Short mmCIF file of all heavy atoms in Angstrom, two decimals:
data_model
loop_
_atom_site.label_atom_id
_atom_site.label_comp_id
_atom_site.label_asym_id
_atom_site.label_seq_id
_atom_site.Cartn_x
_atom_site.Cartn_y
_atom_site.Cartn_z
N HIS A 1 97.54 115.40 108.07
CA HIS A 1 97.79 116.86 108.13
C HIS A 1 99.26 117.15 108.29
O HIS A 1 99.91 117.95 107.72
CB HIS A 1 96.95 117.52 109.17
CG HIS A 1 95.47 117.51 108.93
ND1 HIS A 1 94.95 118.13 107.82
CD2 HIS A 1 94.41 116.97 109.67
CE1 HIS A 1 93.53 117.93 107.87
NE2 HIS A 1 93.30 117.21 108.98
N LEU A 2 99.90 116.29 109.20
CA LEU A 2 101.31 116.40 109.41
C LEU A 2 102.17 116.12 108.21
O LEU A 2 103.25 116.73 108.03
CB LEU A 2 101.70 115.53 110.68
CG LEU A 2 103.26 115.55 110.97
CD1 LEU A 2 103.59 116.89 111.53
CD2 LEU A 2 103.55 114.46 112.04
N ALA A 3 101.72 115.19 107.48
CA ALA A 3 102.50 114.67 106.32
C ALA A 3 102.84 115.89 105.32
O ALA A 3 103.87 115.85 104.72
CB ALA A 3 101.80 113.59 105.51
N ALA A 4 102.01 116.86 105.20
CA ALA A 4 102.18 117.98 104.35
C ALA A 4 103.30 118.84 104.67
O ALA A 4 103.79 119.68 103.85
CB ALA A 4 100.91 118.86 104.17
N TYR A 5 103.90 118.65 105.84
CA TYR A 5 105.05 119.44 106.37
C TYR A 5 106.34 118.58 106.49
O TYR A 5 107.31 119.06 106.93
CB TYR A 5 104.76 119.96 107.79
CG TYR A 5 103.52 120.92 107.81
CD1 TYR A 5 102.26 120.40 108.10
CD2 TYR A 5 103.61 122.31 107.38
CE1 TYR A 5 101.15 121.32 108.18
CE2 TYR A 5 102.57 123.17 107.39
CZ TYR A 5 101.27 122.54 107.80
OH TYR A 5 100.21 123.37 107.76
N LEU A 6 106.25 117.39 105.74
CA LEU A 6 107.43 116.51 105.91
C LEU A 6 108.04 116.40 104.47
O LEU A 6 107.32 116.09 103.51
CB LEU A 6 107.09 115.16 106.46
CG LEU A 6 106.31 115.23 107.84
CD1 LEU A 6 105.90 113.76 108.30
CD2 LEU A 6 107.30 115.74 108.90
N PRO A 7 109.29 116.46 104.33
CA PRO A 7 110.00 116.45 102.99
C PRO A 7 109.73 115.08 102.26
O PRO A 7 109.47 115.16 100.95
CB PRO A 7 111.42 116.64 103.34
CG PRO A 7 111.65 116.49 104.69
CD PRO A 7 110.36 116.82 105.40
N PRO A 8 109.75 113.87 102.97
CA PRO A 8 109.50 112.63 102.13
C PRO A 8 108.07 112.63 101.51
O PRO A 8 107.95 112.18 100.31
CB PRO A 8 109.56 111.61 103.09
CG PRO A 8 110.32 112.18 104.39
CD PRO A 8 110.04 113.55 104.35
N TYR A 9 107.13 113.21 102.09
CA TYR A 9 105.88 113.32 101.52
C TYR A 9 105.86 114.06 100.13
O TYR A 9 105.36 113.58 99.10
CB TYR A 9 104.80 114.01 102.53
CG TYR A 9 103.47 114.34 101.82
CD1 TYR A 9 102.48 113.39 101.79
CD2 TYR A 9 103.24 115.61 101.22
CE1 TYR A 9 101.21 113.66 101.20
CE2 TYR A 9 102.01 115.93 100.71
CZ TYR A 9 101.02 114.88 100.63
OH TYR A 9 99.87 115.23 100.07
N HIS A 10 106.50 115.19 100.13
CA HIS A 10 106.57 115.98 98.85
C HIS A 10 107.38 115.29 97.77
O HIS A 10 107.01 115.25 96.62
CB HIS A 10 107.21 117.30 99.15
CG HIS A 10 106.35 118.17 100.04
ND1 HIS A 10 105.38 119.03 99.66
CD2 HIS A 10 106.31 118.30 101.43
CE1 HIS A 10 104.75 119.58 100.64
NE2 HIS A 10 105.31 119.18 101.72
N LEU A 11 108.46 114.55 98.13
CA LEU A 11 109.17 113.83 97.06
C LEU A 11 108.29 112.70 96.58
O LEU A 11 108.28 112.34 95.37
CB LEU A 11 110.50 113.29 97.53
CG LEU A 11 111.36 112.38 96.65
CD1 LEU A 11 111.64 113.21 95.36
CD2 LEU A 11 112.58 111.87 97.26
N ALA A 12 107.59 112.06 97.51
CA ALA A 12 106.67 110.92 96.97
C ALA A 12 105.61 111.39 96.13
O ALA A 12 105.21 110.70 95.20
CB ALA A 12 106.11 110.22 98.34
N GLN A 13 105.06 112.68 96.49
CA GLN A 13 104.07 113.17 95.55
C GLN A 13 104.52 113.51 94.20
O GLN A 13 103.81 113.31 93.23
CB GLN A 13 103.35 114.44 96.20
CG GLN A 13 102.67 114.07 97.52
CD GLN A 13 101.67 112.96 97.46
OE1 GLN A 13 100.88 112.82 96.56
NE2 GLN A 13 101.86 111.97 98.47
N LEU A 14 105.73 113.91 94.17
CA LEU A 14 106.36 114.14 92.80
C LEU A 14 106.48 112.88 92.05
O LEU A 14 106.20 112.80 90.80
CB LEU A 14 107.69 114.89 92.89
CG LEU A 14 107.66 116.41 93.34
CD1 LEU A 14 109.12 116.87 93.62
CD2 LEU A 14 107.05 117.22 92.22
N ALA A 15 106.93 111.84 92.69
CA ALA A 15 107.09 110.53 92.09
C ALA A 15 105.77 110.01 91.72
O ALA A 15 105.63 109.43 90.59
CB ALA A 15 107.85 109.64 93.05
N LEU A 16 104.78 110.06 92.57
CA LEU A 16 103.34 109.63 92.23
C LEU A 16 102.87 110.42 91.05
O LEU A 16 102.06 109.81 90.25
CB LEU A 16 102.47 109.68 93.45
CG LEU A 16 102.79 108.71 94.50
CD1 LEU A 16 102.00 109.11 95.83
CD2 LEU A 16 102.25 107.30 94.14
N GLY A 17 103.18 111.69 90.95
CA GLY A 17 102.63 112.50 89.95
C GLY A 17 103.14 112.02 88.59
O GLY A 17 102.36 112.07 87.48
N VAL A 18 104.35 111.47 88.51
CA VAL A 18 104.91 110.91 87.29
C VAL A 18 103.99 109.71 86.81
O VAL A 18 103.78 109.49 85.61
CB VAL A 18 106.32 110.46 87.46
CG1 VAL A 18 106.86 109.73 86.19
CG2 VAL A 18 107.23 111.69 87.70
N LEU A 19 103.45 109.01 87.72
CA LEU A 19 102.67 107.74 87.60
C LEU A 19 101.23 108.02 87.41
O LEU A 19 100.38 107.23 87.23
CB LEU A 19 102.94 106.75 88.51
CG LEU A 19 104.46 106.37 88.66
CD1 LEU A 19 104.65 105.30 89.83
CD2 LEU A 19 105.05 105.82 87.46
N GLY A 20 100.85 109.33 87.55
CA GLY A 20 99.37 109.74 87.52
C GLY A 20 98.62 109.64 88.76
O GLY A 20 97.42 109.59 88.83
N GLY A 21 99.36 109.66 89.87
CA GLY A 21 98.61 109.49 91.21
C GLY A 21 98.99 110.40 92.29
O GLY A 21 98.87 110.12 93.52
N GLY A 22 99.45 111.66 91.80
CA GLY A 22 99.90 112.65 92.76
C GLY A 22 98.73 113.25 93.54
O GLY A 22 97.52 113.07 93.18
N ASP A 23 98.97 114.15 94.54
CA ASP A 23 97.82 114.73 95.19
C ASP A 23 97.37 116.04 94.43
O ASP A 23 97.80 116.22 93.22
CB ASP A 23 98.24 115.24 96.60
CG ASP A 23 99.41 116.17 96.71
OD1 ASP A 23 99.89 116.70 95.53
OD2 ASP A 23 99.89 116.42 97.73
N ALA A 24 96.53 116.80 95.05
CA ALA A 24 95.95 118.00 94.31
C ALA A 24 96.88 119.19 94.11
O ALA A 24 96.61 120.05 93.37
CB ALA A 24 94.58 118.42 95.01
N GLN A 25 97.93 119.16 94.89
CA GLN A 25 98.90 120.32 94.85
C GLN A 25 99.74 120.20 93.53
O GLN A 25 99.97 119.03 92.97
CB GLN A 25 99.92 120.33 95.99
CG GLN A 25 99.27 120.47 97.37
CD GLN A 25 98.93 121.84 97.58
OE1 GLN A 25 99.24 122.73 96.92
NE2 GLN A 25 98.06 122.05 98.65
N SER A 26 100.18 121.37 93.04
CA SER A 26 101.04 121.41 91.75
C SER A 26 102.47 120.88 92.11
O SER A 26 102.89 120.99 93.21
CB SER A 26 101.13 122.88 91.30
OG SER A 26 101.91 123.58 92.17
N PRO A 27 103.08 120.36 91.06
CA PRO A 27 104.56 119.92 91.30
C PRO A 27 105.37 121.05 91.80
O PRO A 27 106.27 120.76 92.53
CB PRO A 27 104.87 119.43 89.85
CG PRO A 27 103.69 119.03 89.25
CD PRO A 27 102.54 119.97 89.72
N LEU A 28 105.08 122.28 91.32
CA LEU A 28 105.91 123.50 91.83
C LEU A 28 105.84 123.62 93.27
O LEU A 28 106.89 123.92 93.87
CB LEU A 28 105.34 124.73 91.05
CG LEU A 28 106.19 125.89 91.38
CD1 LEU A 28 107.67 125.75 90.90
CD2 LEU A 28 105.60 127.05 90.68
N HIS A 29 104.70 123.38 93.87
CA HIS A 29 104.56 123.52 95.27
C HIS A 29 105.50 122.49 96.02
O HIS A 29 106.20 122.82 97.05
CB HIS A 29 103.11 123.16 95.77
CG HIS A 29 102.93 123.01 97.23
ND1 HIS A 29 102.91 124.03 98.13
CD2 HIS A 29 102.75 121.85 97.93
CE1 HIS A 29 102.83 123.54 99.39
NE2 HIS A 29 102.67 122.26 99.28
N HIS A 30 105.52 121.31 95.58
CA HIS A 30 106.37 120.25 96.16
C HIS A 30 107.90 120.57 95.95
O HIS A 30 108.66 120.37 96.85
CB HIS A 30 106.05 118.86 95.51
CG HIS A 30 104.62 118.41 95.80
ND1 HIS A 30 104.03 118.31 97.02
CD2 HIS A 30 103.61 118.19 94.96
CE1 HIS A 30 102.89 117.94 97.03
NE2 HIS A 30 102.53 117.74 95.79
N LEU A 31 108.18 121.10 94.77
CA LEU A 31 109.61 121.50 94.43
C LEU A 31 110.02 122.64 95.28
O LEU A 31 111.19 122.59 95.83
CB LEU A 31 109.71 121.87 92.94
CG LEU A 31 109.65 120.67 91.93
CD1 LEU A 31 109.54 121.20 90.54
CD2 LEU A 31 110.93 119.83 92.09
N GLU A 32 109.23 123.61 95.54
CA GLU A 32 109.53 124.67 96.40
C GLU A 32 109.70 124.34 97.84
O GLU A 32 110.71 124.73 98.38
CB GLU A 32 108.37 125.81 96.34
CG GLU A 32 108.34 126.50 95.05
CD GLU A 32 107.13 127.45 95.02
OE1 GLU A 32 106.18 127.28 95.78
OE2 GLU A 32 107.04 128.33 94.09
N PHE A 33 108.92 123.41 98.35
CA PHE A 33 109.08 122.90 99.75
C PHE A 33 110.44 122.12 99.78
O PHE A 33 111.25 122.45 100.80
CB PHE A 33 107.94 122.00 100.13
CG PHE A 33 108.05 121.46 101.52
CD1 PHE A 33 107.28 122.12 102.45
CD2 PHE A 33 108.87 120.37 101.79
CE1 PHE A 33 107.34 121.63 103.76
CE2 PHE A 33 108.93 119.99 103.15
CZ PHE A 33 108.13 120.64 104.12
N LEU A 34 110.74 121.20 98.82
CA LEU A 34 112.02 120.49 98.94
C LEU A 34 113.18 121.46 98.75
O LEU A 34 114.32 121.22 99.39
CB LEU A 34 111.99 119.43 97.86
CG LEU A 34 111.03 118.24 98.08
CD1 LEU A 34 110.94 117.37 96.86
CD2 LEU A 34 111.45 117.44 99.32
N PHE A 35 113.11 122.44 97.92
CA PHE A 35 114.26 123.38 97.73
C PHE A 35 114.42 124.09 99.03
O PHE A 35 115.61 124.31 99.44
CB PHE A 35 113.83 124.34 96.60
CG PHE A 35 115.05 125.36 96.32
CD1 PHE A 35 116.16 124.89 95.79
CD2 PHE A 35 114.92 126.73 96.71
CE1 PHE A 35 117.23 125.78 95.50
CE2 PHE A 35 115.97 127.57 96.47
CZ PHE A 35 117.11 127.14 95.75
N GLY A 36 113.36 124.61 99.68
CA GLY A 36 113.52 125.39 100.91
C GLY A 36 113.99 124.46 102.05
O GLY A 36 114.97 124.90 102.72
N PHE A 37 113.54 123.24 102.02
CA PHE A 37 114.15 122.30 103.09
C PHE A 37 115.61 122.00 102.85
O PHE A 37 116.40 121.95 103.80
CB PHE A 37 113.35 121.02 103.02
CG PHE A 37 113.84 119.98 104.00
CD1 PHE A 37 113.55 119.97 105.37
CD2 PHE A 37 114.72 118.98 103.52
CE1 PHE A 37 114.09 119.05 106.24
CE2 PHE A 37 115.23 118.09 104.37
CZ PHE A 37 114.90 118.03 105.76
N THR A 38 116.07 121.87 101.64
CA THR A 38 117.48 121.64 101.35
C THR A 38 118.32 122.83 101.70
O THR A 38 119.34 122.61 102.32
CB THR A 38 117.60 121.48 99.83
OG1 THR A 38 116.81 120.33 99.32
CG2 THR A 38 119.04 121.15 99.37
N LEU A 39 117.84 124.03 101.47
CA LEU A 39 118.63 125.16 101.99
C LEU A 39 118.72 125.25 103.53
O LEU A 39 119.77 125.51 104.05
CB LEU A 39 117.94 126.51 101.34
CG LEU A 39 118.01 126.69 99.85
CD1 LEU A 39 117.41 128.00 99.52
CD2 LEU A 39 119.57 126.66 99.44
N LEU A 40 117.64 125.02 104.12
CA LEU A 40 117.58 124.97 105.62
C LEU A 40 118.51 123.96 106.17
O LEU A 40 119.34 124.23 107.13
CB LEU A 40 116.14 124.74 106.13
CG LEU A 40 116.01 124.58 107.60
CD1 LEU A 40 116.29 125.90 108.29
CD2 LEU A 40 114.56 124.18 107.86
N ALA A 41 118.42 122.70 105.55
CA ALA A 41 119.33 121.72 106.11
C ALA A 41 120.82 121.96 105.84
O ALA A 41 121.60 121.68 106.65
CB ALA A 41 118.94 120.37 105.36
N LEU A 42 121.19 122.60 104.70
CA LEU A 42 122.46 122.95 104.36
C LEU A 42 122.93 124.03 105.33
O LEU A 42 124.14 124.07 105.80
CB LEU A 42 122.61 123.34 102.92
CG LEU A 42 122.56 122.34 101.85
CD1 LEU A 42 122.61 122.95 100.46
CD2 LEU A 42 123.72 121.34 102.07
#
């Protein structure tokens, strides 16, 4: 459950999605999370 709130999880799911093994979430969900995290970190 915690993994869904961690940025490495979302990048890994995008990478796995390329290979046909991502989770049930859409790629857009993972992109939005990473974009928001990037803005927060900046």
Side-chain angles (χ1 to χ4, degrees):
H1 294 299
L2 176 64
Y5 299 96
L6 303 177
Y9 171 82
H10 291 274
L11 178 58
Q13 296 312 308
L14 288 173
L16 286 166
V18 170
L19 305 179
D23 62 8
Q25 297 284 351
S26 71
L28 183 60
H29 168 76
H30 300 302
L31 286 170
E32 288 174 344
F33 184 97
L34 290 172
F35 182 72
F37 176 80
T38 302
L39 293 180
L40 177 63
L42 287 175

